[in-house]
Amino acid sequence: MPRIYLAGPDVFRPDAIERGARLKWLCAEHGLEGLYPLDNRLPPGLTPAAAARWTLEANIALLRSADAVLANLEPFRGLEPDSGTVFEVGMAVALGKPVWACFAPAGDLRAQVPHGADGRDARGWLVEDFGLPRNLMLACSWTGYDATPEAALAGLARHLGV
Amino acid sequence: MPRIYLAGPDVFRPDAIERGARLKWLCAEHGLEGLYPLDNRLPPGLTPAAAARWTLEANIALLRSADAVLANLEPFRGLEPDSGTVFEVGMAVALGKPVWACFAPAGDLRAQVPHGADGRDARGWLVEDFGLPRNLMLACSWTGYDATPEAALAGLARHLGV
């Protein structure tokens, strides 16, 4: 059964544990095995620094063991997605693993980021104009995109031939 | 001469070209060769979708050719760093390339993200509490950090034995 790493800021949600259980249940419905970062059980008694490093290594090991990644790229504390998730997408692409993105549709970056007639934001920084809903490094490297995890897992299952 | 991929939202700045020239000059001062994404010259006449894909492929090729990465992880359109840069950091870590981060110090994530006594932000989402200045996937995988590109390139040169 293909193993799907469930990347997203979901681990920070108030209902993080229930959210993971639901995503894993959705995976199972599609013949996939969901791998949720919070499945890694932090050993007790670690310092904050050691706990953070342990979590990095456990998450990377889980990602390396996966066949594909579901990436929740919804905006997180601003207009960009969660950086932990984006880091994992970059790793997955480097490792040749397919990534399926999900987030609610909000148009392309020009539609999402307020900008002037010159295509620049309030600080004068250019807003990408490729008609893509995320930075091109994400939107040109993911294998597929859907608005919801339900649809994304269905797409990923089709892609993996399940 | 070690080749340093210069990752950052610098390519969106109003002075993106001059910024790249300055970063490459700083690299040369430390015996490093700077590789700036905007050095890739987009062929004329491409559709937006083809231009975006060409840029992804050119950036990935440049990153693969590099020995290390300087990553500008300053906040971008919110509290998170630029997702294109974070994607490249994830790729670099997967490829075993050292990453040196730079951004202005602003304390750890608890100092940066407004939160209540329960450690949760206004949406109720947990703010990491590891004493780290960025998401642990970044802060535990970078090789070094400095506040400025000048200091970061000096650190990277030392690390690479230049």
Side-chain angles (χ1 to χ4, degrees):
Chain A
M1 193 181 291
R3 293 160 61 84
I4 312 300
Y5 184 83
L6 301 165
D10 306 82
V11 295
F12 303 124
R13 290 169 60 115
D15 60 344
I17 299 290
E18 297 78 359
R19 178 71 173 180
R22 184 170 127 69
L23 290 171
K24 292 203 287 185
W25 180 83
L26 285 173
C27 284
E29 271 208 312
H30 290 287
L32 305 169
E33 181 183 357
L35 309 173
Y36 193 56
L38 291 184
D39 292 344
N40 292 319
R41 298 297 180 90
L42 196 67
L46 297 181
T47 63
R53 178 155 295 278
W54 188 94
T55 303
L56 170 81
E57 287 168 6
N59 288 1
I60 287 179
L62 203 60
L63 174 60
R64 284 187 187 275
S65 82
D67 299 294
V69 172
L70 173 73
N72 173 355
L73 296 178
E74 66 179 287
F76 186 68
R77 297 176 182 154
L79 296 179
E80 290 282 19
D82 165 47
S83 53
T85 306
V86 176
F87 175 95
E88 291 167 341
V89 171
M91 281 204 84
V93 170
L95 297 171
K97 298 179 194 291
V99 173
W100 212 277
C102 69
F103 51 93
D108 67 8
L109 286 179
R110 290 276 168 124
Q112 293 171 43
V113 182
H115 61 276
D118 58 356
R120 294 182 174 273
D121 68 14
R123 283 174 80 194
W125 294 44
L126 191 67
V127 180
E128 280 187 33
D129 192 21
F130 297 111
L132 299 171
R134 287 288 178 271
N135 183 295
L136 71 87
M137 301 301 289
L138 294 165
C140 291
S141 67
W142 67 47
T143 299
Y145 156 77
D146 280 291
T148 63
E150 287 82 351
L153 287 169
L156 204 40
R158 277 195 311 275
H159 175 74
L160 295 170
V162 181
Chain B
M1 192 180 292
R3 293 161 60 84
I4 311 300
Y5 185 83
L6 300 164
D10 306 81
V11 295
F12 303 124
R13 289 170 61 115
D15 60 345
I17 299 291
E18 297 79 359
R19 178 72 173 179
R22 183 171 128 68
L23 289 172
K24 293 204 286 184
W25 180 84
L26 285 173
C27 283
E29 270 208 311
H30 290 288
L32 305 169
E33 181 183 357
L35 310 173
Y36 192 57
L38 291 184
D39 292 344
N40 293 319
R41 297 297 181 89
L42 197 67
L46 297 181
T47 63
R53 177 155 296 279
W54 188 94
T55 302
L56 169 82
E57 287 168 7
N59 288 1
I60 287 179
L62 203 60
L63 174 60
R64 284 187 187 274
S65 82
D67 299 294
V69 172
L70 173 72
N72 174 355
L73 296 178
E74 66 181 285
F76 186 69
R77 296 175 184 156
L79 295 180
E80 289 283 20
D82 165 48
S83 53
T85 305
V86 175
F87 175 94
E88 291 166 340
V89 171
M91 279 204 85
V93 169
L95 297 170
K97 299 181 193 291
V99 173
W100 211 277
C102 69
F103 52 92
D108 67 8
L109 285 178
R110 289 277 169 122
Q112 294 171 44
V113 182
H115 61 276
D118 58 355
R120 293 181 174 274
D121 69 13
R123 282 174 82 194
W125 294 44
L126 191 67
V127 181
E128 278 187 34
D129 192 21
F130 297 112
L132 299 171
R134 287 288 177 271
N135 183 295
L136 71 86
M137 300 302 288
L138 294 165
C140 292
S141 66
W142 66 48
T143 299
Y145 156 78
D146 280 291
T148 64
E150 289 83 349
L153 286 169
L156 204 40
R158 277 195 311 276
H159 176 73
L160 296 170
V162 181

